[in-house]
């Protein structure tokens, strides 16, 4: 998810998206543990997306 796309969302939408992304990361980790994960780089992408969203939330809070 691009930064511009995240900035267009409301704070509530970003928080919901963070929760959704964390659930997806959890599911991917479970697949990785069982050896069924096809694209391991997806975990890294999602973690960075969560970090971007949290950064934008902090920027809004401090503004």
């Amino acid at each position: 998810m691009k930064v511009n796309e995240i900035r267009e969302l409301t704070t509530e939408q970003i928080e919901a998206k963070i929760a959704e992304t964390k659930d997806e990361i959890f599911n991917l980790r479970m697949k990785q543990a069982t050896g069924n994960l096809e694209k391991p780089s997806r975990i890294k992408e999602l973690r960075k997306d969560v970090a971007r969203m949290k950064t934008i939330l902090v920027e809004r809070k401090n503004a």
Side-chain angles (χ1 to χ4, degrees):
M1 185 170 234
K2 304 273 185 182
V3 175
N4 293 335
E5 295 172 359
I6 298 170
R7 289 189 193 278
E8 292 174 358
L9 300 174
T10 65
T11 302
E12 294 81 21
Q13 289 173 327
I14 293 173
E15 291 170 350
K17 195 78 168 164
I18 289 172
E20 177 184 319
T21 306
K22 284 186 176 187
D23 287 340
E24 188 176 348
I25 291 170
F26 176 77
N27 291 332
L28 289 174
R29 283 190 185 144
M30 295 303 285
K31 285 184 180 180
Q32 186 177 30
T34 60
N36 296 331
L37 186 60
E38 295 177 11
K39 191 175 176 186
S41 62
R42 181 77 176 131
I43 295 173
K44 185 176 179 181
E45 292 171 13
L46 291 174
R47 288 180 64 226
K48 287 186 177 188
D49 285 345
V50 169
R52 284 186 195 105
M53 289 184 264
K54 285 185 175 183
T55 300
I56 290 171
L57 287 177
V58 169
E59 287 176 353
R60 288 183 182 179
K61 181 181 176 183
N62 292 336

